[in-house]
Amino acid sequence: MTELEKGPLGQRRGRGARERILAASQQLFRNQGINRTGMDELCTVAQVSKRTAYQHFAGKDELVTEYLRRFDPDVMPEVFDRPDLTPRERLLAAFEMPASTPLCPYIAAAVELHDPQHPASRYARDYKTAIAARLTETAREAGATDPEQLGEQLALLIDGASARTRVLDSNSFPAAAAIAVVLINNAIPASSPR
């Protein structure tokens, strides 16, 4: 391979550029925010030219939206698609977040972008609606008397714990899990399958 075929750090040009751009966006957007990450810095970290970046993404807006799409495309399958757990246990598993969990990227994007019509803001809204729907569906399976209400309550609790964890720089998920137990116990009759 000639020197012209190699990128800045000796990597082959063009191969995997899209994935490197997305990996760099995940790192930079999470660590310093969307607005504080410029395309020049992103391209440097991804080891691509701006021209290459714009060949893969029409602009930063498209890149931010794709970053969110790839973050959790199947809406928490590690929680909701576990056949080894009862529906009630799956509801509680939604609160088993590691202490290192940063502010939810969907909340962060919506807050930073300020524009509810931005493609990434719309995607974040769709994702949050999908989380609430999965919680509601699981609450229904668990026998909740009002699964829509319980689903919304638990979704709000997850988002609140995520934001509070970020603001206080302290894990708020254990407290949220304790509140979730109370909500779930109150919403699911003792005779329901557990």
Side-chain angles (χ1 to χ4, degrees):
M1 181 182 321
T2 68
E3 279 304 307
L4 293 177
E5 293 174 300
K6 292 182 180 180
L9 295 179
Q11 293 185 348
R12 189 175 175 95
R13 291 183 187 264
R15 305 271 175 164
R18 182 179 176 82
E19 293 307 314
R20 288 197 313 275
I21 294 165
L22 286 166
S25 71
Q26 183 174 7
Q27 172 196 341
L28 295 170
F29 293 164
R30 293 291 296 227
N31 292 343
Q32 61 191 36
I34 293 166
N35 291 335
R36 290 187 56 203
T37 301
M39 287 303 285
D40 288 333
E41 179 182 18
L42 199 137
C43 290
T44 299
V45 171
Q47 300 177 15
V48 299
S49 68
K50 282 179 85 171
R51 180 175 177 253
T52 298
Y54 287 113
Q55 286 174 336
H56 289 282
F57 300 97
K60 189 175 175 183
D61 291 350
E62 184 179 314
L63 176 59
V64 172
T65 304
E66 184 62 19
Y67 151 75
L68 291 178
R69 258 191 214 103
R70 288 191 169 208
F71 193 80
D72 184 16
D74 298 318
V75 189
M76 295 177 65
E78 70 282 359
V79 170
F80 296 113
D81 296 341
R82 289 188 59 187
D84 61 313
L85 299 179
T86 66
R88 184 180 190 283
E89 290 169 334
R90 287 196 304 269
L91 290 173
L92 292 171
F95 292 87
E96 294 173 5
M97 301 288 182
S100 61
T101 300
L103 177 63
C104 169
Y106 306 96
I107 294 171
V111 168
E112 272 198 78
L113 296 172
H114 304 290
D115 178 4
Q117 296 311 311
H118 187 286
S121 294
R122 287 196 310 264
Y123 187 81
R125 190 169 41 253
D126 292 346
Y127 178 85
K128 289 301 180 178
T129 301
I131 287 288
R134 292 210 76 182
L135 287 163
T136 297
E137 174 187 321
T138 306
R140 185 172 287 109
E141 290 173 30
T145 53
D146 188 346
E148 287 80 12
Q149 180 181 3
L150 182 58
E152 282 297 321
Q153 288 171 335
L154 296 176
L156 181 62
L157 194 53
I158 289 169
D159 288 343
S162 178
R164 195 163 171 81
T165 294
R166 174 61 167 256
V167 171
L168 298 178
D169 195 23
S170 169
N171 188 2
S172 296
F173 280 95
I179 297 167
V181 168
V182 172
L183 291 170
I184 291 167
N185 287 342
N186 288 338
I188 299 173
S191 62
S192 293
R194 292 184 182 241

